[in-house]
């Protein structure tokens, strides 16, 4: 049976502290040899995805900006399928709201509440690099957002419910992970994108077995959409709490990329 691997990047295939993936290279080579598609399913932008695809020599479809869109290389599937538009080498299936709509919503919320909201779009490349602890090149790629906007909410914690309410009122969704809040379209989630892509793989290969690897809350929709969900250990030694309906979730002993290799060896290479 054809196996398809869906994987998160930050904290999963990429080590959280330095974005390194060296320990995973032999496993990636083995997956390529066995023609197992490795589908990135990440919060990262198109530009960031393209960087890691080139670095790792991966040519499979990928999901950007937490399910904002699926990018399928033009000659990847042997059949025609519905897509939103064509961009360069890809057919793009879009779910997310557009960046300018999200920016406008944040502007309106700022005007209505006086909240101190600073989006990536309000910051220079240098400021994003400094704030997110990225190199200048990484910050440029991180700023190239199309389907979501990350922002700093510089207000007391008790103002947070008002922020959530306002975002909802404008017709969008809000998530919060680590330093940044994230505003995105209501239909954009990793799970929806994984399901649609899985259907395309089934059309191409017949029976398909899907594996998903992640590390945090925004991976839950992806993990729920695959046959075998797995999580890697986080730097603080914990795993994502097993959500309801994911009782078969595998918890890797290894942290980040080490855990990723463990999952690949256990469910694919063994
Ligand atoms: Mg992650």
């Amino acid at each position: 049976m054809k196996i398809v691997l869906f994987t998160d990047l930050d904290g999963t295939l990429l080590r959280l502290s330095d974005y390194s993936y060296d320990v995973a290279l032999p496993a990636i080579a083995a997956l390529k040899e066995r023609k197992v598609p490795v589908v990135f399913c990440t919060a990262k932008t198109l530009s960031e995805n393209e960087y890691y695809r080139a670095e790792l020599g991966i040519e499979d479809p990928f999901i950007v900006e937490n399910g904002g869109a699926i990018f399928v290389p033009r000659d990847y599937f042997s059949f025609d399928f519905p897509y939103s538009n064509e961009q360069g080498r890809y057919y793009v299936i879009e779910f997310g709201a557009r960046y300018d709509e999200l920016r406008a919503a944040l502007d309106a919320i700022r005007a209505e509440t006086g909240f101190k909201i600073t989006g990536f779009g309000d910051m220079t490349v240098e400021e994003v690099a400094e704030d997110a602890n990225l190199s200048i090149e990484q910050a440029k790629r991180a700023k190239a957002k199309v389907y979501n906007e990350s922002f700093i909410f510089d207000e007391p914690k008790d103002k947070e419910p008002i922020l959530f309410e306002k975002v909802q009122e404008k017709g969008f969704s809000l998530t919060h992970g680590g330093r940044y809040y994230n505003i995105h379209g209501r239909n954009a989630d990793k799970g929806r994108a994984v399901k649609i892509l899985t259907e395309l793989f089934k059309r191409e290969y017949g029976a398909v077995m899907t594996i998903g690897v992640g590390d945090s809350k925004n991976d839950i929709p992806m993990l729920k959409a695959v046959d075998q969900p797995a999580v890697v250990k986080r730097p603080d030694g914990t795993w994502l709490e097993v959500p309801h309906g994911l009782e078969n979730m595998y918890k890797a002993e290894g942290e980040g990329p080490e855990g990723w290799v463990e999952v690949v060896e256990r469910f694919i290479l063994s």
Side-chain angles (χ1 to χ4, degrees):
M1 199 192 296
K2 185 78 173 178
I3 297 179
V4 179
L5 177 66
F6 290 92
T7 182
D8 173 51
L9 293 179
D10 290 347
T12 303
L13 176 54
L14 306 177
R15 197 182 306 284
L16 215 48
S17 56
D18 59 3
Y19 302 101
S20 66
Y21 49 78
D22 297 3
V23 297
L25 289 174
I28 289 171
L31 291 173
K32 273 188 243 173
E33 207 180 292
R34 295 190 189 201
K35 300 205 175 353
V36 174
V38 178
V39 178
F40 294 168
C41 182
T42 166
K44 289 188 175 300
T45 63
L46 168 64
S47 168
E48 292 174 297
N49 272 277
E50 287 191 313
Y51 173 81
Y52 286 106
R53 279 162 60 78
E55 284 283 296
L56 300 170
I58 287 172
E59 293 168 353
D60 301 298
F62 53 101
I63 296 163
V64 307
E65 299 190 39
N66 275 327
I70 303 172
F71 283 75
V72 182
R74 276 173 189 275
D75 50 2
Y76 193 81
F77 292 115
S78 62
F79 51 86
D80 293 328
F81 57 89
Y83 54 85
S84 313
N85 57 63
E86 300 174 37
Q87 278 180 48
R89 291 168 287 146
Y90 310 108
Y91 295 119
V92 188
I93 306 171
E94 293 183 325
F95 308 102
R98 304 299 306 197
Y99 189 68
D100 53 349
E101 298 175 315
L102 298 167
R103 296 275 305 159
L106 288 181
D107 282 344
I109 293 168
R110 234 185 319 237
E112 288 162 26
T113 59
F115 285 161
K116 282 192 221 88
I117 289 171
T118 312
F120 272 30
D122 302 309
M123 295 156 82
T124 63
V125 170
E126 290 74 16
E127 284 166 341
V128 170
E130 159 116 44
D131 198 81
N133 194 21
L134 298 172
S135 72
I136 294 291
E137 285 309 311
Q138 286 170 329
K140 269 187 205 159
R141 292 191 287 267
K143 251 176 82 72
K145 291 172 177 294
V146 178
Y147 307 102
N148 79 98
E149 171 67 323
S150 296
F151 63 93
I152 301 161
F153 180 59
D154 196 10
E155 295 290 341
K157 189 84 184 155
D158 64 347
K159 297 277 174 64
E160 200 184 68
I162 306 172
L163 178 68
F164 272 86
E165 209 175 282
K166 285 281 174 191
V167 168
Q168 216 163 32
E169 196 184 289
K170 309 286 175 216
F172 302 110
S173 291
L174 184 69
T175 49
H176 182 207
R179 175 157 173 69
Y180 303 107
Y181 288 76
N182 197 275
I183 181 171
H184 52 86
R186 273 199 182 138
N187 293 330
D189 82 60
K190 287 186 174 187
R192 189 188 176 107
V194 167
K195 282 180 201 151
I196 287 172
L197 208 37
T198 298
E199 286 310 310
L200 296 179
F201 277 111
K202 281 185 180 161
R203 260 175 86 182
E204 187 72 52
Y205 298 108
V208 161
M209 146 99 175
T210 55
I211 297 166
V213 202
D215 73 318
S216 65
K217 233 172 153 182
N218 68 351
D219 296 314
I220 292 173
M222 167 184 79
L223 296 172
K224 284 190 169 165
V226 296
D227 298 315
Q228 177 59 60
V231 282
V232 299
K233 204 187 257 181
R234 301 188 280 206
D236 64 1
T238 66
W239 291 274
L240 171 69
E241 210 178 299
V242 180
H244 183 69
L246 278 180
E247 284 68 27
N248 63 336
M249 190 164 85
Y250 176 76
K251 292 176 171 179
E253 277 305 318
E255 185 191 313
E258 272 95 6
W260 190 90
V261 170
E262 193 183 319
V263 171
V264 167
E265 282 176 351
R266 184 184 175 100
F267 294 104
I268 307 177
L269 302 179
S270 63

